[in-house]
Amino acid sequence: MNLSRYINIICIIIGGAVAIYANAEAQQNSYVLVGGIVLLMFGIYRTSRGVPSKFDNPKEESFIQTEEDDD
C-alpha cells in the first residue's frame, strides 16, 4: 500500500472516532463534531477519487455478452 492510501485510512478512522467522541458527550462540542465529520468526509473523498466510474466504457453495459446471429 502506498502512503496516500494510508493517509486516507487514517483520516477516515480519526475523523470517525472524533465525530463519535464529540457526539457521545452529554455537553456536545459542535466544533469538534464538525471537525471530525470534515476529516471523515475528506478521507472518503480522497478514497473515492481513485475508484473508476462504471460509465467509463459505454460498450460494456452488463456482464452478459450476447452472440450475434449471422442469419
Side-chain angles (χ1 to χ4, degrees):
M1 292 175 73
N2 54 10
L3 183 62
S4 177
R5 184 174 284 183
Y6 285 127
I7 292 172
N8 297 343
I9 292 171
I10 289 171
C11 285
I12 291 171
I13 291 172
I14 291 175
V18 168
I20 290 172
Y21 172 74
N23 198 19
E25 292 181 358
Q27 185 68 20
Q28 294 179 356
N29 189 347
S30 299
Y31 295 114
V32 174
L33 179 61
V34 169
I37 292 173
V38 166
L39 192 60
L40 176 67
M41 295 305 291
F42 177 72
I44 292 172
Y45 169 72
R46 284 181 46 105
T47 302
S48 69
R49 283 190 319 183
V51 177
S53 174
K54 70 177 186 177
F55 299 112
D56 283 346
N57 192 355
K59 185 177 179 183
E60 294 182 23
E61 293 181 6
S62 68
F63 292 112
I64 301 172
Q65 299 290 330
T66 58
E67 295 180 11
E68 295 181 19
D69 292 332
D70 293 331
D71 291 337

